[in-house]
Amino acid sequence: MVRMTAHAYALADGNTIPAIGLGTYGLNDQSGVDAIASAIHDGYRLIDTAYNYGNEEVVAEAIRRADVDRSDLFVTTKLPGRHHGVDETLASFEQSRKRLDLDWVDLYLIHWPNPKRDRYVDSWRSMIKLKERGVVRSIGVSNFTPAMLDRLSAETGLMPVVNQVELHPYFPQAELRAYHAEHAIRTESWSPLAKRTELLAEPVIVEIAERHGSTPAQVVLAWHLALGAVPIPKSADAERRRENLDVFDLELEAGEVEAISGLERGRIWGADPDTHEEM
Ligand SMILES: NC(=O)C1=CN([C@@H]2O[C@H](COP(=O)(O)OP(=O)(O)OC[C@H]3O[C@@H](n4cnc5c(N)ncnc54)[C@H](OP(=O)(O)O)[C@@H]3O)[C@@H](O)[C@H]2O)C=CC1
Ligand SMILES: O=C(O)C(=O)[C@@H](O)C(O)C(=O)CO
């Protein structure tokens, strides 16, 4: 069931996640600070970064510049693959927190499971500690399969409240979303616009956009909202960021959602969580 109030969802741990966020991969240096600060000014409240993006300090500077209460922001960062392990996770988190210049992080994710290394359960135990200490509000994972999620729950007794996965009309992930719904896991969509590629020129999307007087990107983001997934589009351009946020009045018909899901063809760059090892 999709529970959304005031453009946000309740998570299984009682916290609240905004219904849309800003992806920041590639937003670096001063232009990154300007872009993220202007996004916050324009109404973005969820900021998605990662240790591996090398821009946690850029996010920190943008937050310092923004005229928004810290408690109104929802900052996500992620644990890199090379830091999996009990002590490594605690140390890595502290580095991220310091770079972000925050007392707490709203959502901390294991970036990739790295199954060959097989230390993600250890990392998860440390993330549970970080949550207990109050330096992280919600803990989740990224790129996890149902088998990996089952294992986390079986071995620690705690299921992640979010799984951030590749999700866009070329890769709608119906089975994984059904598993999430059964286990009260909120789905977050990475590369929600399929990194732009040719998705936004697909006739079915262009036609629906024309029918609603919207843009193709808005139609794709409305599709994510219709699925109850949290998209985190990245844009370096202020106009496009505002366009991406202005989607809550666009309601797609069930048939339109189905037609967009019909574009399914697979992952865009082939990173399979069962084999990909993130550094
Ligand atoms: N957990 C994980 O493993 C992963 C997480 N992520 C997260 O997801 C975020 C988003 O994914 P990302 O890969 O960046 O791809 P997106 O699907 O968000 O697409 C970004 C591309 O779309 C363009 N774009 C954005 N808005 C519009 C628009 N309205 N009209 C036309 N083009 C547009 C951008 O160009 P421009 O900037 O010029 O506007 C950019 O080229 C990342 O930034 C990151 O935070 C991404 C990959 C993996
Ligand atoms: O999170 C991202 O934006 C990514 O692209 C990651 O998946 C990533 O940095 C990676 O997997 C590179 O191997």
Side-chain angles (χ1 to χ4, degrees):
M1 186 183 63
V2 176
R3 271 185 303 152
M4 182 160 80
T5 35
H7 306 160
Y9 298 101
L11 292 172
D13 61 9
N15 294 325
T16 300
I17 187 170
I20 195 164
L22 179 74
T24 69
Y25 182 67
L27 297 180
N28 294 86
D29 307 318
Q30 190 54 44
S31 61
V33 174
D34 294 343
I36 298 165
S38 114
I40 296 171
H41 175 81
D42 287 339
Y44 283 87
R45 291 296 174 263
L46 188 172
I47 310 295
D48 182 83
T49 181
Y51 190 112
N52 275 349
Y53 299 172
N55 66 357
E56 289 172 316
E57 279 158 334
V58 164
V59 170
E61 182 55 25
I63 291 174
R64 278 192 293 271
R65 247 176 58 182
D67 188 18
V68 169
D69 274 357
R70 165 68 185 98
S71 54
D72 291 332
L73 292 172
F74 186 99
V75 180
T76 303
T77 193
K78 315 187 192 88
L79 173 76
R82 64 190 176 286
H83 294 170
H84 284 200
V86 172
D87 295 337
E88 294 90 333
T89 298
L90 297 174
S92 185
F93 172 75
E94 197 46 29
Q95 287 178 40
S96 284
R97 194 186 65 78
K98 283 209 174 108
R99 274 196 297 270
L100 284 165
D101 192 21
L102 295 175
D103 293 333
W104 77 88
V105 165
D106 298 275
L107 177 63
Y108 194 37
L109 304 177
I110 301 178
H111 203 146
W112 283 86
N114 288 25
K116 209 162 149 211
R117 184 142 189 227
D118 197 18
R119 303 287 304 279
Y120 63 78
V121 179
D122 288 341
S123 291
W124 186 242
R125 289 189 205 284
S126 295
M127 289 170 72
I128 293 171
K129 282 206 186 95
L130 292 168
K131 180 168 164 56
E132 285 166 358
R133 288 179 197 162
V135 286
V136 172
R137 294 271 161 97
S138 292
I139 50 176
V141 294
S142 179
N143 301 300
F144 273 51
T145 64
M148 294 163 180
L149 291 160
D150 282 341
R151 185 170 166 210
L152 286 186
S153 170
E155 293 193 25
T156 71
L158 195 69
M159 195 55 121
V161 295
V162 167
N163 190 14
Q164 183 184 114
V165 295
E166 178 176 354
L167 177 57
H168 43 72
Y170 289 144
F171 196 51
Q173 300 253 42
E175 256 179 59
L176 181 61
R177 285 188 291 103
Y179 174 95
H180 288 171
E182 245 176 70
H183 294 85
I185 298 168
R186 180 62 49 191
T187 307
E188 247 191 323
S189 313
W190 65 251
S191 295
L193 302 173
K195 285 191 192 289
R196 186 160 53 187
T197 54
E198 63 278 28
L199 175 68
L200 303 183
E202 288 286 353
V204 64
I205 289 175
V206 172
E207 194 239 305
I208 294 171
E210 279 166 5
R211 199 180 307 147
H212 287 272
S214 310
T215 67
Q218 288 174 323
V219 167
V220 172
L221 295 169
W223 174 85
H224 288 273
L225 297 182
L227 301 183
V230 175
I232 45 170
K234 169 261 167 187
S235 178
D237 177 80
E239 281 280 303
R240 287 193 285 278
R241 282 193 302 272
R242 282 193 285 271
E243 173 187 328
N244 295 346
L245 199 56
D246 183 18
V247 289
F248 292 102
D249 292 333
L250 172 52
E251 276 195 38
L252 301 176
E253 309 270 328
E256 293 173 328
V257 172
E258 207 180 312
I260 296 168
S261 302
L263 291 170
E264 176 158 21
R265 65 182 197 199
R267 302 179 194 278
I268 37 176
W269 59 280
D272 183 338
D274 278 321
T275 50
H276 180 74
E277 295 283 313
E278 170 83 350
M279 62 141 211

